[in-house]
């Protein structure tokens, strides 16, 4: 009799517990997509939801992937154009000249000393420098070899055997500023017009290893250009040549997505590469909880801008869209691998209906063992 009473009490407890609303970490798919979220409909009409729902499948992918990108700030980029491997003298550059003279009675040096270094001069704002026995001479806009030949030509009018040796030290107009995101930021001289962006990054010690998916920003005048370091390394044509005055910033990818519900982690996740698929996202968040999650009810919630809404199918029919993924089928898995997660998306793993049942059974087993 006692044993029968014990079993009866366990059954009553389980029924009572099953009827209660057990604490859960996520909602069921039916709850998240419930009609309670719908706008009030007139009698006899179907409820009108304030969001649209699309299942991500092979048949649906072409249309879904053609929709406008959501909340992404894109920057143009400048492909590389081969330039002559020589510097162009600019105002602010410093020039060191040495005069070689073979004349017996040289105006620059004694018989024993044929090479005479002249005082270093800076190219003025007007692009001119002062050269002894010549006067003011325009050199800005010339390559060093051209400027050397021009000075030598003028010098030989006074000293027929004169030969000029010329060294240019780049000034601010011939430097690039590596601002941040590297081991050694600073202002670096451009040795020639064919000096490339990766050369500058290498000189600065490379991107900081702490940056996730580093992004390169090139500021040229009032224009901003951008590309990921990953693309820059994999596509040589993007390794653009630098100009004097360029500023380069290396920064972490600012895009992110969120994960909530019965996922491996509930957190904010920075994009680890340029394109993140739904399968990539599931891997980044550590998958889903084996005991709680419903793998047929993975949701991606996205909010589009009002200007992106389309009625012809070329864009989302409403601003709020929920994409559903079924990770228990081959089509669902392949489609998830091709479906792109966008910045600010929420990846939500719904709760499995078996979760509460398992909880009841586990509690019942514990109570039963305790009574024995």
């Amino acid at each position: 009799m006692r044993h029968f009473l014990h079993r009866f009490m366990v059954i009553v407890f389980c029924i009572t517990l099953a009827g209660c609303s057990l604490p859960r970490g996520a909602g069921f798919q039916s709850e998240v997509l419930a009609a309670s979220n719908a706008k009030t409909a007139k009698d006899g009409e179907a409820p009108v939801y304030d969001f649209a729902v699309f299942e991500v499948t092979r048949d649906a992918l072409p249309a879904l992937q053609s929709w406008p990108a959501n909340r992404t700030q894109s920057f143009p980029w400048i492909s590389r154009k081969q330039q002559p491997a020589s510097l162009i003298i600019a105002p602010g550059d410093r020039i060191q000249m040495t005069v070689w003279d073979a004349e017996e009675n040289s105006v620059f040096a004694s018989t024993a000393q044929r090479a005479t270094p002249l005082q270093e001069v800076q190219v003025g704002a007007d692009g001119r420098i002062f050269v002894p026995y010549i006067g003011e001479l325009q050199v800005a806009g010339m390559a060093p070899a051209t400027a050397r030949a021009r000075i030598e030509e003028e010098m030989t009018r006074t000293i027929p055997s004169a030969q000029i040796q010329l060294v240019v030290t780049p000034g601010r107009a011939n430097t690039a500023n590596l601002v941040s995101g590297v081991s050694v930021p600073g202002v670096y001289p451009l040795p020639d017009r064919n000096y490339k962006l990766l050369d500058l990054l290498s000189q600065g010690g490379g991107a900081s290893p702490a940056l996730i998916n580093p992004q390169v920003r090139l500021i040229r005048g009032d224009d901003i250009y951008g590309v990921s370091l990953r693309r820059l390394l994999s596509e040589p044509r993007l390794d653009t040549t630098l100009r004097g005055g360029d500023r380069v910033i290396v920064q972490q990818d600012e895009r992110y997505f969120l994960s909530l519900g019965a996922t491996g982690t509930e957190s904010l996740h920075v994009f680890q590469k340029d394109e993140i698929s739904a399968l990539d996202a599931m891997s980044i968040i550590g998958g889903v909880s084996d005991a709680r999650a419903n793998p047929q009810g993975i949701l991606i919630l996205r909010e589009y801008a009002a200007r992106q809404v389309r009625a012809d199918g070329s864009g989302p029919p409403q601003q709020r869209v929920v994409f559903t993924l079924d990770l228990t089928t081959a089509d669902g898995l392949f489609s998830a691998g091709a479906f792109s997660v966008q910045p600010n998306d929420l990846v939500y793993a719904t709760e499995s209906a078996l979760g509460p049942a398992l909880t009841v059974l586990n509690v019942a087993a514990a109570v039963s063992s305790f009574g024995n």
Side-chain angles (χ1 to χ4, degrees):
M1 182 67 181
R2 181 182 178 185
H3 184 67
F4 173 78
L5 183 61
H6 170 69
R7 285 194 172 185
F8 177 75
M9 293 300 295
V10 169
I11 292 172
V12 171
F13 175 78
C14 289
I15 294 173
T16 305
L17 186 61
C20 297
S21 178
L22 296 175
R24 289 183 276 117
F28 297 133
Q29 181 173 356
S30 59
E31 292 175 332
V32 177
L33 305 179
S36 60
N37 292 328
K39 298 178 181 178
T40 303
K42 297 179 180 179
D43 292 339
E45 295 182 355
V48 180
Y49 291 90
D50 63 354
F51 58 84
V53 181
F54 291 89
E55 185 178 2
V56 179
T57 63
R58 178 175 58 184
D59 293 336
L61 267 175
L64 299 181
Q65 295 289 63
S66 68
W67 289 1
N70 184 40
R71 295 183 179 179
T72 53
Q73 183 181 14
S74 59
F75 295 94
W77 190 250
I78 313 165
S79 295
R80 182 176 66 196
K81 293 182 179 179
Q82 198 70 17
Q83 301 288 342
S86 61
L87 184 72
I88 292 297
I89 299 173
D93 290 352
R94 304 193 70 84
I95 295 179
Q96 174 65 60
M97 291 176 287
T98 300
V99 179
W100 294 77
D101 183 11
E103 297 289 336
E104 291 293 332
N105 298 314
S106 173
V107 297
F108 283 106
S110 63
T111 305
Q113 182 183 355
R114 296 303 183 186
T116 305
L118 303 182
Q119 184 176 357
E120 185 181 66
V121 293
Q122 185 174 28
V123 181
D126 59 356
R128 302 167 72 87
I129 60 171
F130 174 77
V131 183
Y133 296 99
I134 296 177
E136 297 285 336
L137 194 65
Q138 179 75 29
V139 294
M142 298 181 182
T146 303
R148 186 204 65 77
R150 180 78 177 88
I151 295 170
E152 189 173 286
E153 179 185 5
E154 293 296 325
M155 185 72 71
T156 54
R157 299 180 187 277
T158 304
I159 309 169
S161 64
Q163 292 182 318
I164 303 297
Q165 183 178 353
L166 183 145
V167 177
V168 179
T169 301
R172 182 165 293 276
N174 268 323
T175 59
N177 188 355
L178 192 49
V179 180
S180 63
V182 295
S183 301
V184 189
V187 178
Y188 291 87
L190 304 181
D192 54 60
R193 283 177 286 172
N194 209 32
Y195 192 67
K196 303 177 186 64
L197 178 57
L198 284 179
D199 297 331
L200 177 65
L201 294 178
S202 176
Q203 197 168 355
S208 170
L211 300 178
I212 300 175
N213 193 26
Q215 302 291 306
V216 180
R217 299 289 179 258
L218 171 62
I219 303 174
R220 179 171 291 173
D222 295 330
D223 298 320
I224 301 178
Y225 303 92
V227 70
S228 70
L229 182 59
R230 186 188 299 264
R231 285 195 63 198
L232 194 61
L233 293 172
S234 62
E235 301 179 44
R237 65 181 180 83
L238 299 181
D239 188 14
T240 189
T241 48
L242 295 173
R243 294 181 185 175
D246 282 351
R247 288 169 289 167
V248 177
I249 300 172
V250 182
Q251 61 187 34
Q252 180 169 290
D253 198 335
E254 296 179 342
R255 301 172 302 161
Y256 66 88
F257 68 93
L258 300 168
S259 65
L260 289 175
T263 55
T265 56
E266 295 183 299
S267 184
L268 180 151
H269 307 273
V270 175
F271 274 51
Q272 297 184 6
K273 55 183 182 177
D274 293 346
E275 295 291 334
I276 297 290
S277 72
L279 277 187
D280 292 329
M282 296 305 297
S283 175
I284 291 170
I285 66 181
V288 296
S289 172
D290 295 336
R292 296 171 43 219
N294 174 16
Q296 294 178 314
I298 306 301
L299 310 180
I300 296 179
L301 285 71
R302 180 179 302 165
E303 187 165 1
Y304 287 90
R307 66 179 184 279
Q308 296 173 320
V309 175
R310 304 283 189 273
D312 60 359
S314 63
Q318 293 176 260
Q319 284 186 253
R320 293 179 173 182
V321 179
V322 179
F323 301 98
T324 66
L325 299 170
D326 182 354
L327 301 185
T328 64
T329 68
D331 180 55
L333 288 168
F334 279 119
S335 299
F339 183 75
S340 296
V341 170
Q342 296 188 9
N344 304 322
D345 278 358
L346 169 61
V347 179
Y348 188 88
T350 60
E351 193 92 11
S352 170
L354 293 176
L358 291 174
T359 300
V360 171
L361 292 175
N362 290 335
V363 172
V367 172
S368 177
S369 64
F370 177 77
N372 292 332

